[in-house]
């Protein structure tokens, strides 16, 4: 299977005994959270078990590997390849030759998109990270020694005297992307190399161009950074990130991309926060009433956790493990089909296999229907609920205001066992479903 070999070769030169050897932290950053998961419980999907899950043509028996991932994540040397399947970059039913063809097609497509962006701004692909404003909302260039206006910008190599607002919006976003990029995961040795920062900026700039509805919002750099580190080829990192964005948007509301959309009437993760409030009313009514009395009935203090998928609550290593465990638990055949997108923008016509599903997804199917994707909160919501219940005694007995709630949650950073937290989330999910079913009968 050539793709597996390629994925394995990506990590050559690294020790696979400890993730921290791969995702090294800069020596001067001593206050960074370290892994809180005991080594004896790191039962990760191994390269050997991963290879054994493919048939002779290279088709993946996804059911065979999900349980291993749920128990402790994925070994570092195969992580990039496994993520491509968990996120829907490739269908488990595809063979090795089909995946290689699609990979090359997507690489070509990314190069074309990047070239299109470069024609509008020369910084794209140059390795430069733009941190100063390029253009104001009126379409006037703000670059030094460049008084030209938007009327002198080109697209697709052709002078456009009246370009759309899309170009203006994109150019306005570029410096915000840059400001976030230079702050993202700077504790890692990987980002001491300016070329890696440039790759992260390029991916986000291209994504902002093709996604007219969302563009770019703060938090996306945190979600994209692991992709840049895992995939030596920038195009592969881009497509994995793009599928993650589809997953973020689709999981909570098919057709309504709310997670990164902010308006004067709605904050991006509002639906998830509403789900969290509903779940807490069922799981722990007393704690919910306490938080409500403190003015936290909207659970806005959990905004950051849900927005960037717990990047601040765990070490970089534990975040990767947590993500892949949660993706395995939530693996749902219908959703995977929605995640899968071909280079031309069409969704793959794969057939769902309901035997292949994560524990969380199967429970939702049991208490709902296979097609009811959004009847229940996401696993992330129950994950937050577990953290809140862990702090229950402090919240009920000592905390007097929401600022103290936020402080208590911040103090938990780096102290949560990702594995145990997942088990607690699943426990609360089961409790929630049972109580909801009982109240409806």
């Amino acid at each position: 299977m050539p793709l597996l070999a390629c994925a394995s070769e990506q990590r050559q030169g690294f020790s696979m005994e400890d993730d921290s050897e791969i995702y090294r932290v800069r020596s001067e950053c001593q206050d960074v959270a370290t892994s809180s998961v005991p080594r004896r419980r790191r039962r990760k999907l191994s390269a050997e078990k991963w290879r054994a899950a493919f048939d002779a043509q290279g088709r993946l028996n996804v059911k065979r590997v999900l349980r291993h991932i749920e128990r402790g994540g994925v070994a570092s040397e195969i992580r990039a390849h496994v993520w491509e399947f968990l996120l829907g970059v490739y269908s488990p039913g595809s063979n090795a030759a089909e995946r290689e063809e699609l990979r090359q097609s997507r690489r070509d497509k990314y190069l074309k998109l990047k070239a299109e962006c470069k024609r509008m701004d020369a910084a794209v692909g140059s390795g430069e990270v733009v941190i100063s404003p390029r253009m104001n909302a009126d379409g006037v260039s703000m670059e030094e020694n460049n008084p030209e206006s938007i009327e002198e910008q080109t697209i697709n190599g052709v002078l456009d005297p009246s370009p759309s607002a899309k170009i203006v919006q994109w150019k306005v976003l570029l410096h915000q992307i840059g400001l976030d990029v230079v702050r993202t995961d700077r504790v890692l040795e990987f980002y001491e190399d300016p070329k890696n920062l440039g790759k992260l900026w390029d991916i986000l700039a291209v994504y902002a161009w093709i996604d007219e509805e969302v563009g770019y919002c703060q938090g996306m750099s945190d979600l994209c950074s692991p992709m840049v580190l895992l995939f030596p080829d920038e195009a592969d990192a881009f497509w994995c990130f793009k599928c993650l964005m589809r997953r973020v948007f689709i999981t909570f509301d098919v057709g309504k991309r709310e997670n990164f959309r902010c308006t004067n009437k709605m904050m991006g993760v509002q639906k998830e926060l509403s789900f969290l409030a509903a779940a807490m009313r069922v799981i722990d009514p007393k704690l919910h009433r306490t938080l409500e009395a403190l003015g936290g009935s909207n659970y806005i203090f959990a905004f950051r956790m849900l927005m960037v998928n717990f990047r601040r609550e765990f070490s970089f290593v534990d975040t990767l493990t947590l993500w892949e465990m949660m993706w395995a638990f939530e693996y749902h055949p219908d959703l995977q089909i929605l995640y899968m997108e071909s280079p031309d923008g069409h969704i793959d016509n794969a057939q769902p296999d309901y035997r292949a599903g994560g524990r969380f997804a199967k429970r939702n199917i049991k208490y709902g229907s296979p097609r009811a994707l959004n009847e229940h909160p996401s696993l992330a919501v129950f994950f937050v609920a577990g953290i809140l219940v862990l702090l229950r005694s402090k919240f009920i007995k000592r905390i007097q205001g929401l600022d103290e709630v936020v402080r208590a949650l911040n103090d938990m950073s780096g102290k949560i066992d990702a594995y145990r937290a997942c088990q607690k989330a699943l426990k609360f999910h089961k409790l929630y479903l049972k109580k909801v079913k009982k109240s409806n009968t």
Side-chain angles (χ1 to χ4, degrees):
M1 287 171 291
L3 288 186
L4 180 57
C6 178
S8 298
E9 290 167 1
Q10 292 171 3
R11 305 309 322 168
Q12 285 184 359
F14 293 102
S15 166
M16 300 306 172
E17 296 299 318
D18 189 346
D19 283 349
S20 62
E21 291 300 308
I22 301 173
Y23 315 119
R24 291 190 183 94
V25 173
R26 291 158 55 190
S27 58
E28 65 270 26
C29 301
Q30 300 298 323
D31 58 343
V32 178
T34 56
S35 177
S36 60
V37 181
R39 184 181 296 275
R40 59 184 168 78
R41 226 178 32 250
R42 295 181 184 177
R43 299 174 293 178
K44 298 177 180 292
L45 172 67
S46 67
E48 182 181 6
K49 287 186 172 64
W50 176 246
R51 286 192 291 267
F54 288 86
D55 66 16
Q57 288 72 43
R59 295 183 178 88
L60 173 65
N61 182 344
V62 68
K63 182 180 178 181
R64 187 170 177 177
V65 299
L66 284 178
R67 302 300 166 262
H68 292 292
I69 301 172
E70 288 175 348
R71 286 198 293 267
V74 176
S76 301
E77 62 264 42
I78 58 171
R79 176 166 277 143
H81 196 38
V82 176
W83 278 27
E84 288 179 316
F85 285 91
L86 289 177
L87 291 172
V89 178
Y90 299 115
S91 166
S94 63
N95 60 44
E98 290 168 340
R99 291 195 296 275
E100 188 61 38
E101 182 181 356
L102 184 55
R103 182 186 293 275
Q104 190 56 55
S105 175
R106 283 174 169 157
R107 286 177 176 177
D108 293 343
K109 173 68 173 178
Y110 177 71
L111 290 178
K112 290 178 182 177
L113 290 171
K114 190 172 177 180
E116 183 179 338
C117 291
K118 187 174 182 63
R119 283 192 289 268
M120 294 182 289
D121 195 296
V124 177
S126 69
E128 177 187 355
V129 176
V130 171
I131 58 174
S132 58
R134 307 295 271 185
M135 183 169 290
N136 65 22
D138 295 324
V140 177
S141 174
M142 301 180 70
E143 298 177 55
E144 291 185 13
N145 303 318
N146 184 8
E148 300 166 351
S149 68
I150 188 63
E151 284 76 17
E152 294 167 292
Q153 301 299 313
T154 64
I155 184 169
N156 296 325
V158 178
L159 187 66
D160 188 348
S162 56
S164 69
K166 178 184 175 182
I167 300 176
V168 176
Q169 182 181 16
W170 179 73
K171 295 274 283 188
V172 168
L173 286 173
L174 292 181
H175 92 285
Q176 181 59 59
I177 295 173
L179 292 175
D180 290 345
V181 162
V182 297
R183 292 192 293 254
T184 301
D185 291 327
R186 292 313 305 273
V187 300
L188 298 178
E189 287 185 5
F190 178 79
Y191 283 117
E192 290 185 313
D193 186 342
K195 290 187 298 184
N196 294 328
L197 287 175
K199 285 171 63 176
L200 178 57
W201 186 83
D202 283 344
I203 290 172
L204 292 169
V206 173
Y207 183 83
W209 171 247
I210 66 170
D211 190 335
E212 297 183 47
E213 187 176 2
V214 176
Y216 175 81
C217 290
Q218 284 186 299
M220 286 186 179
S221 61
D222 292 286
L223 301 183
C224 186
S225 173
M227 311 303 176
V228 177
L229 193 147
L230 285 176
F231 294 92
D233 191 289
E234 185 180 313
D236 296 342
F238 171 82
W239 288 105
C240 202
F241 172 68
K242 188 174 187 297
C243 284
L244 175 58
M245 288 297 96
R246 286 184 61 80
R247 187 183 196 283
V248 167
F249 298 135
I250 290 171
T251 299
F252 299 102
D253 199 343
V254 174
K256 294 183 179 180
R257 304 171 41 141
E258 294 181 348
N259 227 43
F260 282 94
R261 180 193 294 163
C262 297
T263 69
N264 58 350
K265 294 182 179 180
M266 181 184 70
M267 193 168 293
V269 292
Q270 181 175 320
K271 183 158 190 173
E272 294 156 84
L273 295 173
S274 297
F275 268 145
L276 176 58
M280 287 301 295
R281 277 194 294 269
V282 173
I283 293 168
D284 195 329
K286 184 175 181 181
L287 178 55
H288 174 74
R289 289 194 296 270
T290 298
L291 293 171
E292 193 172 34
L294 294 172
S297 60
N298 58 5
Y299 285 77
I300 194 65
F301 50 81
F303 173 84
R304 187 186 71 184
M305 287 188 280
L306 292 170
M307 187 72 167
V308 295
N309 287 353
F310 310 101
R311 282 297 316 270
R312 302 292 185 273
E313 284 64 45
F314 296 89
S315 68
F316 186 84
V317 172
D318 282 0
T319 299
L320 304 188
T321 299
L322 173 64
W323 283 6
E324 58 209 16
M325 288 174 67
M326 293 178 74
W327 296 338
F329 282 124
E330 290 186 318
Y331 192 95
H332 186 299
D334 273 347
L335 285 175
Q336 293 308 119
I337 292 172
L338 287 170
Y339 303 153
M340 295 171 195
E341 189 178 8
S342 62
D344 60 4
H346 293 97
I347 293 175
D348 294 346
N349 294 318
Q351 294 299 315
D353 178 5
Y354 293 110
R355 297 170 299 174
R359 285 166 56 190
F360 179 87
K362 282 186 172 180
R363 250 185 224 156
N364 280 341
I365 293 173
K366 178 181 177 181
Y367 286 87
S369 70
R371 299 285 173 180
L373 303 182
N374 297 290
E375 289 183 353
H376 307 295
S378 70
L379 182 57
V381 166
F382 293 101
F383 199 95
V384 176
I387 295 174
L388 295 176
V389 173
L390 188 63
L391 295 167
R392 185 179 195 277
S393 178
K394 180 182 291 188
F395 286 160
I396 290 177
K397 294 180 180 179
R398 297 195 296 276
I399 286 181
Q400 303 296 316
L402 285 182
D403 56 333
E404 294 182 53
V405 172
V406 173
R407 192 178 305 118
L409 291 173
N410 289 339
D411 289 343
M412 293 295 290
S413 296
K415 301 175 184 177
I416 308 170
D417 183 323
Y419 175 84
R420 287 188 179 277
C422 269
Q423 299 308 309
K424 178 72 75 174
L426 288 169
K427 178 182 176 181
F428 284 144
H429 176 232
K430 186 175 182 178
L431 174 64
Y432 170 83
L433 292 177
K434 285 185 173 180
K435 287 189 173 183
V436 168
K437 183 177 181 180
K438 185 177 179 180
S439 65
N440 290 336
T441 56

